[in-house]
Amino acid sequence: MAIEICVKAATGAPDVLGDCPFSQRILLTLEEKKVAFKTHLINLDNKPKWFLEVNPDGKVPLAKFDENWISDSDVIVGLIEEKYPHPSLATPPELASVGSKIFPKFVVFLKSKDANDGTEQALLDELNALDEHLKSKGPYVTGKTITAVDLSLAPKLYHLEVALGHFKKWTVPESLTHVRNYMKLLFSRESFEKTKPAKEEYVVAGWAPKVNSA
């Protein structure tokens, strides 16, 4: 039986795959493992009654395993790995947190209105750390094979590229060659092409209220 996955529909286009990086992480995991799944697109501005009944918090992603609905992306990824161990996407525990601070630093920098508040440097520090790691361990976080940590980072780095490019005309510095190559490698995978937001403008539309209200 195919796993059922609830993911975010695009802002303003409820019939199209949306821009939630945590939803894409789950879809990437299933695609890389070649696991059959059924997708429910959830309009977060008008959540279906059945969705709220099984998931009162109303958050995505949401996945159904053995009649149970699970809403934590870390737990969902763990369950997929447990039920479908081949190919293994498990990341060694000591590498599981590589790059984990990039996304929160990106969000703070994206919302920042003060060019001198240190938020850009804080993001650059995290990207530099990832670049150094990839320089010695790459091309992926654990080496030659893609694992769960890469599938978590890929959608977040895509949001970083699209949102900062749009709202701040900012790009990852060319000096960070390993990070830039890593992003190209991730974004060119078939699994990423199949699961990324239908259009870049859906990413922009998803972030616009957060940027404008900051």
Side-chain angles (χ1 to χ4, degrees):
M1 186 188 297
I3 294 176
E4 292 185 49
I5 305 287
C6 297
V7 296
K8 181 185 176 184
T11 303
D15 299 324
V16 178
L17 181 62
D19 63 300
C20 170
F22 304 97
S23 294
Q24 191 186 359
R25 175 192 181 191
I26 306 304
L27 299 178
L28 278 169
T29 304
L30 293 167
E31 287 286 352
E32 289 287 344
K33 286 183 173 287
K34 303 287 190 270
V35 174
F37 61 94
K38 178 184 178 185
T39 305
H40 299 284
L41 296 176
I42 305 298
N43 180 354
L44 297 185
D45 294 324
N46 185 21
K47 295 167 188 170
K49 186 180 174 188
W50 70 264
F51 173 72
L52 290 171
E53 284 173 355
V54 299
N55 181 35
D57 287 344
K59 293 180 180 175
V60 291
L62 185 73
K64 190 178 187 181
F65 294 92
D66 305 324
E67 300 306 310
N68 294 315
W69 288 96
I70 311 291
S71 65
D72 182 291
S73 59
D74 288 332
V75 176
I76 294 169
V77 166
L79 282 169
I80 295 170
E81 188 65 40
E82 197 177 290
K83 287 178 173 292
Y84 306 94
H86 305 293
S88 173
L89 292 173
T91 303
E94 67 273 16
L95 296 176
S97 63
V98 170
S100 63
K101 294 180 183 173
I102 290 172
F103 192 68
K105 300 294 184 191
F106 145 68
V107 174
V108 175
F109 174 46
L110 179 66
K111 292 179 175 181
S112 167
K113 298 286 194 284
D114 179 358
N116 300 309
D117 63 2
T119 56
E120 179 181 9
Q121 189 57 50
L123 173 59
L124 284 170
D125 289 347
E126 296 303 327
L127 290 170
N128 274 310
L130 177 60
D131 199 76
E132 285 298 315
H133 176 87
L134 294 169
K135 184 178 179 179
S136 59
K137 297 276 198 302
Y140 295 105
V141 167
T142 66
K144 292 191 169 106
T145 310
I146 197 164
T147 67
V149 66
D150 303 297
L151 300 181
S152 176
L153 278 170
K156 296 170 182 174
L157 289 169
Y158 183 70
H159 276 244
L160 180 154
E161 180 178 85
V162 174
L164 289 179
H166 177 83
F167 291 105
K168 288 188 180 287
K169 305 293 181 271
W170 190 95
T171 56
V172 173
E174 289 188 12
S175 59
L176 298 179
T177 53
H178 299 91
V179 169
R180 288 171 71 99
N181 288 338
Y182 177 60
M183 290 166 72
K184 280 181 195 163
L185 196 60
L186 293 172
F187 301 165
S188 66
R189 289 185 77 88
E190 183 185 359
S191 61
F192 195 90
E193 286 290 335
K194 288 169 80 171
T195 61
K196 71 179 183 180
K199 295 179 182 176
E200 285 189 5
E201 51 254 47
Y202 295 139
V203 176
V204 171
W207 284 106
K210 301 176 182 72
V211 174
N212 295 332
S213 66

